[in-house]
């Protein structure tokens, strides 16, 4: 059975759906600090299959110990974590203790129970911006570190923890997936991104402007060295990202050691291009103003995805228009979220 921490969240719920569709047995552990158990009920309905769920804090080593004794777990996908970049600057202790505490508790309990396979949610944020973006995009061997916020450091350090565990235990297998910018929602519109309060990220902000919850989008700078001056990112449909986890799971089942993979599309899209696609595909207006740059933002971030294509056999299938359509479909069907 696959133990999925943080499985009730945005990326976790989509991955649970893909796991069930692939015939996997799934046990979700989530403390619901940023999600609702109803997302898992929806996943079960969409898949026509059941999963198991325990409400637990993954930092709680004793609770994990009990779970690993009760269930027949053979691999772990570790999504659980706090992820708001800005919030992490004001609450570093909470971010380090939650994001590193959960990784360390898991490693310790996995060792005690001889569970040697893990897929970890890392982030493109670990790449160091000061050398510029290589012409082919960030590759897995691009320099990392120099993170600009505690959240980024928790990903950097969790990667170090897991790669060190692989060195100590030759039977251990870890895949570190560096996600670029996951957006969109399952095409059913049943599960999706459901942020509390003011969204930090672009796509949930756009959907809230389009639905009238917020008046207008502020574009953070139009003076970057990009074709239209606005920031360029590598957006990936969350259902594609979810499928990448199935490939990663197959990989840890066949290999030992630590491997890092970028998960993106390999294509950059600017803020203005995303806004225009959203308006065009969905026939709605997204009023915006141009404001100052957001501190810490890079102009261009996109992935070199050749390693994931070559070794995982993963390639994203959905395009920007699909992402815009599905994000809006989810917002329309769930104007008050999925609680
Ligand atoms: P999310 O907040 O929707 O999901 C995270 C889940 O983890 C939530 O359900 C939350 O309740 C749970 N959780 C947090 N701390 C926990 C703990 N100590 N014990 C148990 N459950 C806990 O976020 P998401 O967008 O689905 O992100 C999943 C993972 O991917 C995170 O680790 C995040 O840092 C990483 N990531 C996300 C993005 C992105 O843009 N969404 C990009 C790169 C990496
Ligand atoms: N942006 C705006 N207005 C907004 C929000 C965002 O113009 O209201 C712009 C940003 O300046 C950036 C682009 O939209 O150019 C994307 O911003 P997001 O906040 O959606 O995404 P980021 O690329 O900044 O960060 C995301 C995740 C991080 C992760 C990182 C990895 O939020 O957790 O991708 O690249 F670390």
């Amino acid at each position: 059975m696959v133990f999925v921490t943080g499985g009730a969240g945005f990326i976790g719920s989509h991955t649970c759906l893909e796991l069930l569709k692939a015939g996997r047995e799934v046990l979700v552990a989530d403390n619901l600090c940023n999600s609702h158990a109803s997302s898992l009920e929806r996943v079960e309905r969409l898949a026509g299959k059941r999963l198991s769920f325990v409400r637990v804090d993954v930092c709680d080593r004793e609770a994990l110990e009990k779970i690993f004794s009760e269930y027949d777990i053979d691999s772990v996908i570790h999504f659980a974590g706090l992820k708001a970049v800005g919030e992490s600057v004001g609450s570093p202790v909470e971010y380090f203790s939650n994001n590193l505490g959960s990784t360390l508790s898991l490693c310790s309990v996995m060792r005690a129970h001889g569970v040697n396979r893990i897929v970890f949610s890392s982030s493109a944020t670990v790449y160091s911006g000061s050398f510029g973006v290589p012409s082919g995009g960030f590759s897995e061997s691009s320099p990392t570190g120099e993170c600009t916020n505690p959240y980024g450091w928790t990903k950097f350090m969790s990667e170090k923890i897991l790669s060190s565990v692989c060195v100590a235990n030759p039977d251990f297998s870890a895949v570190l997936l560096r996600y670029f910018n996951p957006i969109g929602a399952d095409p059913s519109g049943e599960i999706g991104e459901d942020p509390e309060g003011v969204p930090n990220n672009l796509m949930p902000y756009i959907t809230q402007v389009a639905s009238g919850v917020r008046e207008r989008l502020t574009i953070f700078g139009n003076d970057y060295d990009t074709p239209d001056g606005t920031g360029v990112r590598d957006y990936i449909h969350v259902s594609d990202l979810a499928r990448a986890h199935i490939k990663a799971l197959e990989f840890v089942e066949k290999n030992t050691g630590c491997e890092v993979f970028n998960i993106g599309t390999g294509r950059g899209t600017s803020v203005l291009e995303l806004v225009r696609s959203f308006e065009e595909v969905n026939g709605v207006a997204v009023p915006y103003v141009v404001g100052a740059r957001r501190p810490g933002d890079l102009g261009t971030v996109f992935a070199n995805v050749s390693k994931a294509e070559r070794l995982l056999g993963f390639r994203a299938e959905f395009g920007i228009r699909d992402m815009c359509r599905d994000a809006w479909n989810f917002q329309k069907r769930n104007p008050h979220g999925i609680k």
Side-chain angles (χ1 to χ4, degrees):
M1 139 179 288
V2 188
F3 185 61
V4 184
T5 77
F10 172 46
I11 305 169
S13 57
H14 288 81
T15 303
C16 286
L17 178 58
E18 292 301 322
L19 286 166
L20 291 178
K21 282 193 203 160
R24 300 277 185 162
E25 262 193 285
V26 175
L27 168 60
V28 171
D30 200 303
N31 64 3
L32 306 180
C33 69
N34 195 37
S35 56
H36 299 275
S38 51
S39 66
L40 295 173
E41 288 159 21
R42 292 176 177 212
V43 165
E44 289 182 324
R45 265 206 315 276
L46 288 171
K49 291 180 184 163
R50 305 301 300 266
L51 52 71
S52 305
F53 169 60
V54 277
R55 185 170 183 171
V56 68
D57 189 321
V58 182
C59 299
D60 182 344
R61 201 188 168 288
E62 275 173 33
L64 285 192
E65 178 61 44
K66 196 158 163 276
I67 294 167
F68 275 64
S69 302
E70 272 171 26
Y71 291 88
D72 186 15
I73 294 167
D74 42 42
S75 42
V76 175
I77 305 182
H78 181 29
F79 293 107
L82 302 175
K83 64 163 183 177
V85 172
E87 185 184 67
S88 78
V89 176
S91 306
V93 176
E94 285 74 12
Y95 270 70
F96 283 114
S97 34
N98 192 66
N99 292 6
L100 297 182
S102 56
T103 302
L104 288 167
S105 299
L106 261 179
C107 287
S108 146
V109 174
M110 287 173 73
R111 182 177 58 190
H113 289 265
V115 177
N116 287 331
R117 298 167 181 153
I118 189 167
V119 177
F120 174 65
S121 300
S122 190
S123 166
T125 198
V126 301
Y127 289 118
S128 167
S130 51
F131 302 94
V133 188
S135 58
F138 284 111
S139 75
E140 290 80 355
S141 54
S142 296
T144 58
E146 300 182 354
C147 301
T148 51
N149 55 74
Y151 167 75
W153 282 116
T154 69
K155 292 298 173 192
F156 180 87
M157 289 157 83
S158 284
E159 288 197 358
K160 292 285 175 229
I161 292 168
L162 291 168
S163 59
S164 306
V165 169
C166 286
V167 172
N169 178 358
D171 294 328
F172 203 84
S173 177
V175 159
L176 316 176
L177 297 180
R178 292 183 183 151
Y179 310 156
F180 280 66
N181 290 60
I183 59 170
D186 184 71
S188 67
E190 286 291 300
I191 51 175
E193 192 167 11
D194 185 13
E196 290 286 334
V198 184
N200 299 299
N201 299 115
L202 180 59
M203 183 54 100
Y205 209 104
I206 289 177
T207 56
Q208 292 197 5
V209 170
S211 66
V213 175
R214 307 197 183 271
E215 211 177 330
R216 64 177 77 86
L217 170 74
T218 301
I219 295 183
F220 297 144
N222 65 354
D223 56 352
Y224 285 105
D225 182 17
T226 60
D228 62 25
T230 66
V232 166
R233 293 291 182 275
D234 186 339
Y235 298 96
I236 176 166
H237 195 293
V238 64
S239 300
D240 274 332
L241 177 57
R243 279 193 309 105
H245 290 79
I246 310 297
K247 299 283 190 187
L249 196 58
E250 290 165 1
F251 189 90
V252 291
E253 287 167 351
K254 289 195 206 107
N255 298 278
T256 54
C258 185
E259 284 290 349
V260 186
F261 294 100
N262 286 339
I263 304 294
T265 62
R267 284 184 300 277
T269 302
S270 76
V271 176
L272 265 177
E273 282 172 331
L274 190 69
V275 168
R276 296 214 170 104
S277 293
F278 190 94
E279 292 185 319
E280 212 178 280
V281 171
N282 297 316
V284 288
V286 181
Y288 65 83
V289 288
V290 176
R293 289 183 178 193
R294 184 170 61 179
D297 270 0
L298 298 177
T300 301
V301 178
F302 70 100
N304 181 318
V305 293
S306 57
K307 185 176 175 191
E309 284 183 9
R310 203 172 68 246
L311 294 185
L312 291 183
F314 172 74
R315 185 194 280 262
E317 284 169 7
F318 290 106
I320 285 290
R321 295 175 69 86
D322 304 308
M323 302 179 211
C324 290
R325 181 199 60 221
D326 292 338
W328 182 232
N329 184 37
F330 175 74
Q331 172 75 28
K332 277 189 301 181
R333 284 168 165 265
N334 305 276
H336 308 292
I338 51 180
K339 332 182 198 342

